[in-house]
Amino acid sequence: MKKGIHPNYNTDGIVCTTCGTNWKIGSTRSGMRVEICANCHPFYTGEQRIVDTAGQVDRFMRRLSAAQDRQASIEKQKSSRSAPEPKKSLLKELYGDEA
Ligand SMILES: [Zn+2]
């Protein structure tokens, strides 16, 4: 090997930030990281779970609960305003109160 023309070859590998696995691989780059790997990806593990590294699920759940609260308050306002008179049944409409 000729001296001084080759880049540094690192063997520290790639680290998965989700499960912490260190994949041994050689590269000229150092400090490589991945968010998900074959050890923790649902496709390879066979589990039905959501890998949430960026907090997207928490954010969605917060927005969903806020929307449900808003919907509940709107429903409460509608029901407290004025309840419509209950409609007569079809039989009572046809035959009057005698039936
Ligand atoms: Zn992993």
Side-chain angles (χ1 to χ4, degrees), residues 32-91:
M32 288 193 288
R33 295 176 186 277
V34 290
E35 283 190 356
I36 197 160
C37 70
N39 265 4
C40 55
H41 193 282
F43 181 80
Y44 296 103
T45 59
E47 293 176 34
Q48 283 294 324
R49 66 186 173 95
I50 299 170
V51 179
D52 185 22
T53 55
Q56 293 292 309
V57 173
D58 291 337
R59 185 166 162 251
F60 172 78
M61 295 309 284
R62 257 188 281 121
R63 289 169 57 194
L64 178 69
S65 69
Q68 283 173 340
D69 290 347
R70 207 177 316 125
Q71 192 73 30
S73 70
I74 288 171
E75 290 294 323
K76 204 174 178 183
Q77 278 181 352
K78 273 185 184 174
S79 66
S80 68
R81 242 183 247 153
S82 62
E85 201 166 285
K87 214 175 183 183
K88 280 184 178 179
S89 72
L90 185 59
L91 279 176

Side-chain angles (χ1 to χ4, degrees), residues 18-39:
T18 301
C19 66
T21 305
N22 190 342
W23 295 92
K24 291 291 171 198
I25 191 170
S27 174
T28 56
R29 298 180 72 186
S30 64
M32 288 193 288
R33 295 176 186 277
V34 290
E35 283 190 356
I36 197 160
C37 70
N39 265 4

